Amino acid sequence: MNKRIKAFVFDLDGVITDSAELHYQAWSRIASEQGIPFDRDYNELLKGISRMESLEKILERKPDACFTASDKEALAARKNDYYKELIGTIGPQALLAGIETLLKDIVGAGIGIALASASRNAPTIIERLGIGHFFQVIVDPADIPHGKPYPDIYLRAASELRVSPKECVGVEDAEAGVQAIKRAGMFAIGIGSSEVLHEADYIVPDSSFLQLQDILDRIDNQKD
Ligand code: BG6
Ligand code: MG
């Protein structure tokens, strides 16, 4: 058994549950109301970044329009209302394949677990999924000045768990998230497209491929 790894730090949206899709749907609604082009490719750029940064990226696509700070606040609040409607139906059945087993195996191996999500809705979703008991730490993104791809949220997770970043594995579905994990000095697992997540140390097409022993063996076999 790998002795080096003391904690796993998880992203939430698109890793633990398919809420990345719900963010996409809510932003699509806002973009279409504003007559702004928006598709899944462009949405990749929004994954992992904050609500306001996401909005700014969408509004960039309508350069001739003028949005005041209060217009932007109103649009971000409306997007969040749409998103909250969508997450209202989430329950334990919405856990992505393999995640519950992975969480149980990690806890069973005496390894810590933290959540490093940029979403202010994360605590609600974790509660709805019924998995709060697995997490020793849920980092509050409101408390982190620099979002992903800066490493700060991952570093905060490690420090709250009282482990060193090099003793951690980070799990992400977003390019900005994988970059944050690598900048924090952790082993990075990317879930999704290898084109988007190429900086990760280990990439899987979906969460059902994640198995604790396999991950620990890969870390052991990694050349330093
Ligand atoms: C991240 C998502 O986890 O949280 C982003 O990948 C989202 O798409 C961000 O914008 C902020 O979420 P929220 O729920 O605070 O608007
Ligand atoms: Mg994500």
Side-chain angles (χ1 to χ4, degrees):
M1 171 69 84
N2 180 300
K3 295 273 191 310
R4 179 176 128 202
I5 296 305
K6 300 216 170 106
F8 273 65
V9 186
F10 286 88
D11 174 43
L12 172 70
D13 296 315
V15 166
I16 287 177
T17 187
D18 200 12
S19 40
E21 172 64 21
L22 307 182
H23 280 295
Y24 168 69
Q25 289 174 17
W27 282 128
S28 288
R29 210 169 149 188
I30 293 288
S32 109
E33 286 169 2
Q34 299 300 318
I36 298 175
F38 187 64
D39 58 22
R40 286 179 189 278
D41 280 344
Y42 198 71
N43 184 60
E44 281 300 316
L45 302 176
L46 312 187
K47 287 186 178 174
I49 67 172
S50 72
R51 193 180 308 163
M52 223 12 133
E53 287 174 300
S54 302
L55 177 65
E56 293 287 358
K57 283 213 170 288
I58 291 172
L59 299 184
E60 268 172 24
R61 308 196 94 188
K62 202 177 182 183
D64 296 338
C66 177
F67 294 93
T68 64
S70 76
D71 292 338
K72 290 178 186 176
E73 289 296 337
L75 285 170
R78 192 150 85 236
K79 182 269 176 175
N80 198 45
D81 288 342
Y82 295 159
Y83 182 65
K84 284 203 290 194
E85 263 174 43
L86 293 168
I87 62 174
T89 56
I90 286 182
Q93 79 291 344
L95 275 170
L96 284 171
I99 292 294
E100 192 171 12
T101 304
L102 179 64
L103 293 170
K104 280 184 183 155
D105 288 349
I106 295 170
V107 169
I111 297 172
I113 305 182
L115 190 78
S117 169
S119 174
R120 291 171 190 231
N121 291 293
T124 308
I125 295 179
I126 290 289
E127 194 188 321
R128 295 195 71 93
L129 292 168
I131 54 169
H133 56 288
F134 289 116
F135 291 84
Q136 285 161 258
V137 166
I138 295 183
V139 180
D140 179 1
D143 209 23
I144 305 290
H146 304 291
K148 301 169 189 177
Y150 288 94
D152 305 32
I153 196 165
Y154 279 92
L155 293 173
R156 177 68 65 85
S159 102
E160 288 191 20
L161 286 165
R162 299 183 187 285
V163 298
S164 143
K166 65 179 187 308
E167 296 169 327
C168 297
V169 175
V171 192
E172 273 283 353
D173 68 320
E175 184 178 18
V178 167
Q179 289 168 343
I181 297 173
K182 289 313 298 172
R183 289 184 193 178
M186 299 179 180
F187 183 89
I189 298 180
I191 304 178
S193 144
S194 49
E195 233 168 89
V196 177
L197 306 172
H198 57 92
E199 288 179 52
D201 298 293
Y202 175 37
I203 302 170
V204 292
D206 67 66
S207 56
S208 69
F209 287 80
L210 295 176
Q211 283 179 355
L212 179 62
Q213 194 53 57
D214 172 50
I215 296 165
L216 297 179
D217 289 345
R218 281 170 193 275
I219 296 169
D220 274 340
N221 296 331
Q222 198 188 35
K223 291 200 178 67
D224 291 320

